[in-house]
Short mmCIF file of all heavy atoms in Angstrom, two decimals:
data_model
loop_
_atom_site.label_atom_id
_atom_site.label_comp_id
_atom_site.label_asym_id
_atom_site.label_seq_id
_atom_site.Cartn_x
_atom_site.Cartn_y
_atom_site.Cartn_z
N MET A 24 35.71 12.30 -14.60
CA MET A 24 34.24 12.17 -14.70
C MET A 24 33.67 12.23 -13.28
O MET A 24 34.11 11.76 -12.37
CB MET A 24 33.97 10.86 -15.36
CG MET A 24 34.26 10.94 -16.82
SD MET A 24 33.74 9.31 -17.56
CE MET A 24 32.02 9.33 -17.52
N SER A 25 32.45 12.76 -13.27
CA SER A 25 31.67 12.93 -12.07
C SER A 25 30.34 12.37 -12.35
O SER A 25 29.45 13.04 -12.82
CB SER A 25 31.61 14.34 -11.56
OG SER A 25 31.01 14.43 -10.33
N ASP A 26 30.09 11.19 -11.80
CA ASP A 26 28.74 10.49 -12.06
C ASP A 26 28.02 10.47 -10.80
O ASP A 26 27.13 9.66 -10.46
CB ASP A 26 28.92 9.11 -12.54
CG ASP A 26 29.42 9.15 -14.01
OD1 ASP A 26 28.94 10.06 -14.75
OD2 ASP A 26 30.07 8.21 -14.50
N GLU A 27 28.34 11.22 -9.77
CA GLU A 27 27.71 11.18 -8.65
C GLU A 27 26.33 11.82 -8.66
O GLU A 27 26.10 13.00 -8.90
CB GLU A 27 28.55 11.97 -7.48
CG GLU A 27 29.76 11.20 -6.98
CD GLU A 27 30.38 11.78 -5.86
OE1 GLU A 27 29.56 12.30 -4.97
OE2 GLU A 27 31.56 11.68 -5.72
N VAL A 28 25.35 11.08 -8.35
CA VAL A 28 23.99 11.49 -8.32
C VAL A 28 23.26 11.14 -7.00
O VAL A 28 23.83 10.25 -6.28
CB VAL A 28 23.17 11.09 -9.40
CG1 VAL A 28 23.61 11.67 -10.79
CG2 VAL A 28 23.24 9.44 -9.56
N GLY A 29 22.25 11.70 -6.73
CA GLY A 29 21.47 11.38 -5.52
C GLY A 29 21.89 12.30 -4.36
O GLY A 29 21.42 12.02 -3.26
N ALA A 30 22.68 13.30 -4.59
CA ALA A 30 22.98 14.16 -3.60
C ALA A 30 21.82 14.93 -3.06
O ALA A 30 21.60 15.28 -1.99
CB ALA A 30 24.11 15.26 -3.92
N THR A 31 20.95 15.21 -4.03
CA THR A 31 19.67 15.97 -3.80
C THR A 31 18.55 15.02 -3.75
O THR A 31 18.34 14.29 -4.85
CB THR A 31 19.55 17.13 -4.72
OG1 THR A 31 19.54 16.50 -6.09
CG2 THR A 31 20.63 18.18 -4.54
N LYS A 32 17.76 14.93 -2.69
CA LYS A 32 16.63 14.10 -2.75
C LYS A 32 15.42 14.78 -2.97
O LYS A 32 15.25 15.91 -2.56
CB LYS A 32 16.62 13.30 -1.27
CG LYS A 32 17.46 12.12 -1.27
CD LYS A 32 17.17 11.32 0.06
CE LYS A 32 18.00 10.04 0.09
NZ LYS A 32 17.61 9.34 1.34
N LYS A 33 14.51 14.18 -3.62
CA LYS A 33 13.25 14.75 -3.89
C LYS A 33 12.35 14.55 -2.65
O LYS A 33 12.20 13.47 -2.11
CB LYS A 33 12.47 14.23 -5.03
CG LYS A 33 13.05 14.72 -6.42
CD LYS A 33 12.25 14.01 -7.54
CE LYS A 33 12.83 14.54 -8.86
NZ LYS A 33 12.05 13.95 -9.89
N THR A 34 11.77 15.69 -2.16
CA THR A 34 11.00 15.47 -0.95
C THR A 34 9.47 15.69 -1.31
O THR A 34 8.62 15.42 -0.55
CB THR A 34 11.35 16.52 0.05
OG1 THR A 34 11.45 17.85 -0.49
CG2 THR A 34 12.80 16.19 0.63
N GLU A 35 9.27 16.20 -2.45
CA GLU A 35 7.92 16.51 -2.82
C GLU A 35 7.04 15.24 -2.96
O GLU A 35 5.82 15.26 -2.70
CB GLU A 35 7.80 17.34 -4.08
CG GLU A 35 8.55 16.63 -5.18
CD GLU A 35 8.62 17.66 -6.35
OE1 GLU A 35 9.06 18.81 -6.31
OE2 GLU A 35 8.18 17.37 -7.43
N SER A 36 7.67 14.17 -3.42
CA SER A 36 7.00 12.92 -3.55
C SER A 36 7.44 11.92 -2.47
O SER A 36 7.84 10.81 -2.75
CB SER A 36 7.18 12.42 -4.96
OG SER A 36 8.58 12.07 -5.20
N GLY A 37 7.35 12.40 -1.28
CA GLY A 37 7.89 11.57 -0.18
C GLY A 37 6.82 10.36 0.05
O GLY A 37 6.00 10.17 -0.66
N PRO A 38 7.22 9.58 1.04
CA PRO A 38 6.49 8.33 1.19
C PRO A 38 5.01 8.68 1.49
O PRO A 38 4.69 9.46 2.24
CB PRO A 38 7.20 7.63 2.50
CG PRO A 38 7.98 8.86 3.12
CD PRO A 38 8.27 9.78 2.06
N TYR A 39 4.22 7.87 0.86
CA TYR A 39 2.81 7.94 1.01
C TYR A 39 2.37 7.34 2.30
O TYR A 39 2.59 6.13 2.45
CB TYR A 39 2.21 7.44 -0.25
CG TYR A 39 0.67 7.60 -0.23
CD1 TYR A 39 0.10 8.85 -0.58
CD2 TYR A 39 -0.26 6.57 -0.06
CE1 TYR A 39 -1.20 9.08 -0.55
CE2 TYR A 39 -1.54 6.79 -0.08
CZ TYR A 39 -2.07 8.06 -0.29
OH TYR A 39 -3.47 8.23 -0.29
N VAL A 40 1.66 8.07 3.06
CA VAL A 40 1.20 7.55 4.42
C VAL A 40 -0.09 6.81 4.17
O VAL A 40 -1.05 7.35 3.79
CB VAL A 40 1.01 8.71 5.42
CG1 VAL A 40 0.53 8.10 6.71
CG2 VAL A 40 2.26 9.34 5.69
N HIS A 41 0.05 5.58 4.43
CA HIS A 41 -1.23 4.74 4.42
C HIS A 41 -1.27 3.75 5.51
O HIS A 41 -0.43 2.87 5.65
CB HIS A 41 -1.40 4.12 3.05
CG HIS A 41 -0.10 3.43 2.60
ND1 HIS A 41 0.22 2.13 3.02
CD2 HIS A 41 0.81 3.68 1.74
CE1 HIS A 41 1.40 1.74 2.51
NE2 HIS A 41 1.80 2.75 1.75
N LEU A 42 -2.25 3.91 6.35
CA LEU A 42 -2.51 3.07 7.44
C LEU A 42 -3.35 1.97 7.08
O LEU A 42 -4.21 2.05 6.21
CB LEU A 42 -2.97 3.74 8.77
CG LEU A 42 -1.98 4.85 9.24
CD1 LEU A 42 -2.64 5.57 10.37
CD2 LEU A 42 -0.64 4.34 9.58
N CYS A 43 -3.41 0.91 7.92
CA CYS A 43 -4.38 -0.19 7.74
C CYS A 43 -5.79 0.37 7.74
O CYS A 43 -6.19 1.26 8.67
CB CYS A 43 -4.30 -1.15 8.77
SG CYS A 43 -5.44 -2.60 8.69
N GLU A 44 -6.60 0.00 6.85
CA GLU A 44 -7.95 0.51 6.72
C GLU A 44 -9.02 -0.29 7.53
O GLU A 44 -10.11 -0.12 7.52
CB GLU A 44 -8.45 0.47 5.28
CG GLU A 44 -7.54 1.44 4.59
CD GLU A 44 -8.07 1.62 2.99
OE1 GLU A 44 -9.16 1.10 2.77
OE2 GLU A 44 -7.44 2.23 2.19
N HIS A 45 -8.47 -1.30 8.19
CA HIS A 45 -9.34 -2.07 9.07
C HIS A 45 -9.90 -1.25 10.15
O HIS A 45 -9.04 -0.40 10.82
CB HIS A 45 -8.55 -3.30 9.67
CG HIS A 45 -9.54 -4.22 10.43
ND1 HIS A 45 -10.14 -5.21 9.71
CD2 HIS A 45 -9.75 -4.29 11.72
CE1 HIS A 45 -10.90 -5.86 10.68
NE2 HIS A 45 -10.71 -5.35 11.86
N PRO A 46 -11.13 -1.19 10.43
CA PRO A 46 -11.70 -0.33 11.41
C PRO A 46 -11.08 -0.49 12.84
O PRO A 46 -10.97 -1.57 13.34
CB PRO A 46 -13.18 -0.73 11.52
CG PRO A 46 -13.49 -1.32 10.22
CD PRO A 46 -12.22 -2.03 9.76
N GLY A 47 -10.54 0.59 13.38
CA GLY A 47 -10.01 0.58 14.68
C GLY A 47 -8.47 0.20 14.65
O GLY A 47 -7.82 0.28 15.64
N CYS A 48 -7.95 -0.17 13.37
CA CYS A 48 -6.57 -0.68 13.43
C CYS A 48 -5.70 0.64 13.07
O CYS A 48 -6.10 1.44 12.13
CB CYS A 48 -6.36 -1.72 12.33
SG CYS A 48 -4.65 -2.30 12.34
N THR A 49 -4.70 0.81 13.78
CA THR A 49 -3.78 1.91 13.42
C THR A 49 -2.46 1.54 13.09
O THR A 49 -1.44 2.22 13.14
CB THR A 49 -3.73 2.77 14.79
OG1 THR A 49 -3.20 1.99 15.78
CG2 THR A 49 -4.94 3.43 15.13
N LYS A 50 -2.40 0.22 12.65
CA LYS A 50 -1.04 -0.30 12.25
C LYS A 50 -0.75 0.26 10.86
O LYS A 50 -1.64 0.71 10.10
CB LYS A 50 -1.10 -1.80 12.21
CG LYS A 50 -1.03 -2.34 13.67
CD LYS A 50 -0.95 -3.89 13.50
CE LYS A 50 -0.93 -4.52 14.92
NZ LYS A 50 -0.81 -5.99 14.89
N TRP A 51 0.49 0.01 10.51
CA TRP A 51 0.96 0.60 9.13
C TRP A 51 0.42 -0.41 8.08
O TRP A 51 0.52 -1.65 8.27
CB TRP A 51 2.44 0.57 9.10
CG TRP A 51 2.96 0.96 7.79
CD1 TRP A 51 3.61 0.19 6.87
CD2 TRP A 51 2.96 2.36 7.26
NE1 TRP A 51 3.96 0.90 5.81
CE2 TRP A 51 3.59 2.23 5.95
CE3 TRP A 51 2.40 3.63 7.64
CZ2 TRP A 51 3.61 3.35 5.14
CZ3 TRP A 51 2.55 4.62 6.89
CH2 TRP A 51 3.12 4.46 5.57
N GLY A 52 -0.30 0.06 7.04
CA GLY A 52 -0.81 -0.69 6.03
C GLY A 52 0.21 -0.98 4.96
O GLY A 52 0.45 -0.18 4.01
N SER A 53 1.01 -1.93 5.10
CA SER A 53 2.13 -2.22 4.12
C SER A 53 1.61 -3.02 2.84
O SER A 53 2.39 -3.16 1.93
CB SER A 53 3.18 -2.98 4.76
OG SER A 53 2.77 -4.19 5.41
N LEU A 54 0.41 -3.46 3.03
CA LEU A 54 -0.07 -4.34 1.89
C LEU A 54 -1.19 -3.62 1.16
O LEU A 54 -2.21 -3.22 1.72
CB LEU A 54 -0.63 -5.72 2.35
CG LEU A 54 0.45 -6.52 3.11
CD1 LEU A 54 -0.19 -7.75 3.86
CD2 LEU A 54 1.51 -7.05 2.21
N GLY A 55 -0.90 -3.28 -0.15
CA GLY A 55 -1.95 -2.57 -0.93
C GLY A 55 -2.74 -3.49 -1.84
O GLY A 55 -2.12 -4.28 -2.48
N PHE A 56 -4.11 -3.29 -1.92
CA PHE A 56 -4.82 -4.01 -2.78
C PHE A 56 -5.68 -3.12 -3.56
O PHE A 56 -6.51 -2.30 -3.11
CB PHE A 56 -5.71 -5.04 -1.90
CG PHE A 56 -4.88 -5.99 -1.11
CD1 PHE A 56 -4.61 -5.56 0.18
CD2 PHE A 56 -4.41 -7.04 -1.55
CE1 PHE A 56 -3.97 -6.37 1.16
CE2 PHE A 56 -3.69 -8.00 -0.68
CZ PHE A 56 -3.51 -7.53 0.63
N ALA A 57 -5.53 -3.23 -4.79
CA ALA A 57 -6.28 -2.25 -5.78
C ALA A 57 -7.49 -3.13 -6.46
O ALA A 57 -7.13 -4.16 -7.09
CB ALA A 57 -5.36 -1.74 -6.84
N HIS A 58 -8.59 -2.62 -6.33
CA HIS A 58 -9.84 -3.30 -6.94
C HIS A 58 -9.98 -2.58 -8.32
O HIS A 58 -10.60 -1.69 -8.34
CB HIS A 58 -11.07 -3.13 -6.09
CG HIS A 58 -10.88 -3.86 -4.82
ND1 HIS A 58 -11.27 -5.21 -4.64
CD2 HIS A 58 -10.43 -3.57 -3.55
CE1 HIS A 58 -11.10 -5.57 -3.50
NE2 HIS A 58 -10.47 -4.66 -2.74
N GLY A 59 -9.50 -3.21 -9.28
CA GLY A 59 -9.69 -2.64 -10.57
C GLY A 59 -9.05 -1.23 -10.69
O GLY A 59 -7.93 -1.09 -10.41
N ARG A 60 -9.86 -0.28 -10.96
CA ARG A 60 -9.52 1.03 -11.17
C ARG A 60 -9.57 1.82 -9.91
O ARG A 60 -9.27 3.07 -9.77
CB ARG A 60 -10.24 1.83 -12.22
CG ARG A 60 -10.20 1.11 -13.66
CD ARG A 60 -11.16 1.69 -14.66
NE ARG A 60 -11.32 0.86 -15.79
CZ ARG A 60 -12.29 0.99 -16.54
NH1 ARG A 60 -13.40 1.80 -16.29
NH2 ARG A 60 -12.47 0.25 -17.71
N ALA A 61 -10.11 1.21 -8.82
CA ALA A 61 -10.46 1.94 -7.66
C ALA A 61 -8.95 2.25 -7.03
O ALA A 61 -7.98 1.48 -7.32
CB ALA A 61 -11.33 1.16 -6.69
N THR A 62 -9.03 3.20 -6.03
CA THR A 62 -7.80 3.43 -5.38
C THR A 62 -7.41 2.27 -4.41
O THR A 62 -8.31 1.64 -3.93
CB THR A 62 -8.00 4.71 -4.52
OG1 THR A 62 -9.21 4.69 -3.80
CG2 THR A 62 -7.93 5.96 -5.37
N PRO A 63 -6.20 2.03 -4.28
CA PRO A 63 -5.83 0.81 -3.50
C PRO A 63 -6.24 0.89 -2.07
O PRO A 63 -6.24 2.08 -1.53
CB PRO A 63 -4.25 0.87 -3.55
CG PRO A 63 -3.94 1.70 -4.73
CD PRO A 63 -5.04 2.69 -4.85
N ASN A 64 -6.59 -0.24 -1.47
CA ASN A 64 -6.86 -0.29 -0.17
C ASN A 64 -5.66 -0.84 0.65
O ASN A 64 -5.14 -1.88 0.12
CB ASN A 64 -8.11 -1.14 0.19
CG ASN A 64 -9.28 -0.59 -0.45
OD1 ASN A 64 -9.75 -0.92 -1.57
ND2 ASN A 64 -9.99 0.28 0.17
N TRP A 65 -5.33 -0.28 1.72
CA TRP A 65 -4.14 -0.71 2.39
C TRP A 65 -4.54 -1.30 3.79
O TRP A 65 -5.39 -1.01 4.49
CB TRP A 65 -3.29 0.54 2.71
CG TRP A 65 -2.80 1.27 1.50
CD1 TRP A 65 -3.39 2.30 0.83
CD2 TRP A 65 -1.76 0.86 0.70
NE1 TRP A 65 -2.72 2.56 -0.31
CE2 TRP A 65 -1.58 1.72 -0.46
CE3 TRP A 65 -0.61 -0.09 0.86
CZ2 TRP A 65 -0.59 1.72 -1.42
CZ3 TRP A 65 0.36 -0.13 -0.12
CH2 TRP A 65 0.31 0.72 -1.22
N TYR A 66 -3.82 -2.56 3.94
CA TYR A 66 -4.08 -3.25 5.13
C TYR A 66 -2.73 -3.71 5.77
O TYR A 66 -1.73 -3.86 4.96
CB TYR A 66 -4.98 -4.47 4.85
CG TYR A 66 -6.28 -4.15 4.38
CD1 TYR A 66 -6.66 -4.03 3.05
CD2 TYR A 66 -7.36 -3.78 5.24
CE1 TYR A 66 -7.79 -3.74 2.60
CE2 TYR A 66 -8.64 -3.56 5.01
CZ TYR A 66 -8.86 -3.47 3.52
OH TYR A 66 -10.13 -3.15 3.11
N CYS A 67 -2.72 -3.86 6.98
CA CYS A 67 -1.60 -4.53 7.64
C CYS A 67 -1.42 -5.97 7.42
O CYS A 67 -2.46 -6.54 6.89
CB CYS A 67 -1.49 -4.11 9.13
SG CYS A 67 -2.77 -5.06 10.09
N PHE A 68 -0.48 -6.63 7.72
CA PHE A 68 -0.33 -7.94 7.52
C PHE A 68 -1.41 -8.72 8.29
O PHE A 68 -1.79 -9.88 7.81
CB PHE A 68 1.08 -8.46 7.91
CG PHE A 68 1.44 -9.85 7.57
CD1 PHE A 68 1.73 -10.31 6.22
CD2 PHE A 68 1.29 -10.93 8.47
CE1 PHE A 68 1.90 -11.62 5.94
CE2 PHE A 68 1.52 -12.24 8.20
CZ PHE A 68 1.88 -12.52 6.83
N GLU A 69 -1.81 -8.22 9.40
CA GLU A 69 -2.73 -8.91 10.26
C GLU A 69 -4.19 -8.92 9.67
O GLU A 69 -4.94 -9.85 9.85
CB GLU A 69 -2.76 -8.22 11.70
CG GLU A 69 -3.49 -9.03 12.67
CD GLU A 69 -3.35 -8.37 14.03
OE1 GLU A 69 -2.25 -7.79 14.25
OE2 GLU A 69 -4.24 -8.48 14.76
N HIS A 70 -4.43 -7.85 8.87
CA HIS A 70 -5.85 -7.65 8.40
C HIS A 70 -5.85 -7.80 6.86
O HIS A 70 -6.90 -7.38 6.20
CB HIS A 70 -6.42 -6.32 8.86
CG HIS A 70 -6.49 -6.20 10.39
ND1 HIS A 70 -6.01 -5.20 11.04
CD2 HIS A 70 -7.24 -7.00 11.19
CE1 HIS A 70 -6.34 -5.39 12.33
NE2 HIS A 70 -7.12 -6.50 12.49
N LYS A 71 -4.80 -8.24 6.29
CA LYS A 71 -4.75 -8.36 4.87
C LYS A 71 -5.98 -9.20 4.31
O LYS A 71 -6.31 -10.22 4.94
CB LYS A 71 -3.47 -8.94 4.48
CG LYS A 71 -3.33 -10.39 4.66
CD LYS A 71 -2.08 -10.96 3.96
CE LYS A 71 -1.92 -12.36 4.35
NZ LYS A 71 -0.79 -12.97 3.75
N ILE A 72 -6.45 -8.87 3.30
CA ILE A 72 -7.63 -9.46 2.71
C ILE A 72 -7.20 -10.58 1.75
O ILE A 72 -5.99 -10.55 1.47
CB ILE A 72 -8.58 -8.49 1.84
CG1 ILE A 72 -7.69 -7.79 0.80
CG2 ILE A 72 -9.18 -7.47 2.85
CD1 ILE A 72 -8.60 -6.80 0.03
N GLU A 73 -8.04 -11.36 1.45
CA GLU A 73 -7.63 -12.50 0.54
C GLU A 73 -7.36 -11.89 -0.83
O GLU A 73 -8.24 -11.22 -1.41
CB GLU A 73 -8.83 -13.52 0.49
CG GLU A 73 -8.50 -14.67 -0.33
CD GLU A 73 -9.61 -15.68 -0.38
OE1 GLU A 73 -10.50 -15.72 0.48
OE2 GLU A 73 -9.61 -16.53 -1.32
N TRP A 74 -6.31 -12.25 -1.42
CA TRP A 74 -5.87 -11.63 -2.65
C TRP A 74 -5.13 -12.66 -3.44
O TRP A 74 -4.17 -13.31 -2.94
CB TRP A 74 -5.11 -10.37 -2.53
CG TRP A 74 -5.04 -9.57 -3.73
CD1 TRP A 74 -4.11 -9.54 -4.72
CD2 TRP A 74 -6.07 -8.61 -4.15
NE1 TRP A 74 -4.38 -8.66 -5.73
CE2 TRP A 74 -5.64 -8.21 -5.39
CE3 TRP A 74 -7.36 -8.29 -3.55
CZ2 TRP A 74 -6.43 -7.18 -6.11
CZ3 TRP A 74 -8.01 -7.35 -4.36
CH2 TRP A 74 -7.61 -6.86 -5.64
N PRO A 75 -5.39 -12.85 -4.69
CA PRO A 75 -6.50 -12.24 -5.39
C PRO A 75 -7.85 -12.74 -4.94
O PRO A 75 -7.87 -13.75 -4.41
CB PRO A 75 -6.28 -12.61 -6.81
CG PRO A 75 -5.52 -13.91 -6.80
CD PRO A 75 -4.66 -13.73 -5.51
N PRO A 76 -8.82 -11.88 -5.06
CA PRO A 76 -10.12 -12.37 -4.54
C PRO A 76 -10.62 -13.58 -5.36
O PRO A 76 -10.36 -13.79 -6.54
CB PRO A 76 -11.12 -11.07 -4.94
CG PRO A 76 -10.34 -10.24 -5.98
CD PRO A 76 -8.85 -10.61 -5.62
N ALA A 77 -11.39 -14.41 -4.63
CA ALA A 77 -11.80 -15.63 -5.19
C ALA A 77 -12.80 -15.25 -6.30
O ALA A 77 -13.64 -14.47 -6.28
CB ALA A 77 -12.56 -16.43 -4.12
N LYS A 78 -12.53 -16.04 -7.36
CA LYS A 78 -13.52 -15.80 -8.52
C LYS A 78 -14.86 -16.24 -8.38
O LYS A 78 -15.02 -17.39 -7.70
CB LYS A 78 -12.93 -16.58 -9.76
CG LYS A 78 -11.69 -15.91 -10.41
CD LYS A 78 -11.22 -16.53 -11.68
CE LYS A 78 -9.98 -15.83 -12.18
NZ LYS A 78 -9.52 -16.57 -13.39
N ARG A 79 -15.81 -15.53 -8.79
CA ARG A 79 -17.13 -15.97 -8.66
C ARG A 79 -17.64 -16.34 -10.11
O ARG A 79 -17.54 -15.79 -11.04
CB ARG A 79 -18.03 -14.62 -8.20
CG ARG A 79 -17.61 -14.24 -6.71
CD ARG A 79 -18.49 -13.11 -6.31
NE ARG A 79 -19.83 -13.54 -6.18
CZ ARG A 79 -20.81 -12.65 -5.77
NH1 ARG A 79 -20.50 -11.39 -5.61
NH2 ARG A 79 -21.99 -13.14 -5.54
N SER A 80 -18.31 -17.47 -9.99
CA SER A 80 -18.74 -18.00 -11.38
C SER A 80 -20.26 -17.90 -11.47
O SER A 80 -20.92 -17.70 -10.48
CB SER A 80 -18.31 -19.45 -11.50
OG SER A 80 -18.80 -20.20 -10.53
ZN1 ZN B 123 -4.80 -3.80 10.50
#
């Protein structure tokens, strides 16, 4: 039996490049925050926003 898989890697769906969206920041945005259906916003650990956002009553 030959169950070897993974020899071929998919490259078309490579790592999505997303940098911190904080103005002037060029760090890697490793933290993604999605507001509802909006596209996620990415921030580095330094500029991460409060999540989940505080509830407004
Ligand atoms: Zn940042």
Side-chain angles (χ1 to χ4, degrees):
M24 282 179 76
S25 178
D26 286 329
E27 283 192 37
V28 287
T31 54
K32 276 188 175 181
K33 284 185 180 178
T34 53
E35 54 189 53
S36 58
Y39 185 71
V40 179
H41 47 80
L42 299 177
C43 177
E44 296 187 8
H45 188 84
C48 183
T49 56
K50 287 184 180 178
W51 178 253
S53 57
L54 302 169
F56 302 92
H58 295 269
R60 302 169 190 161
T62 46
N64 295 101
W65 297 93
Y66 296 94
C67 68
F68 186 79
E69 194 175 326
H70 295 123
K71 70 175 181 177
I72 59 178
E73 185 181 336
W74 199 264
K78 284 185 179 178
R79 299 180 66 183
S80 57

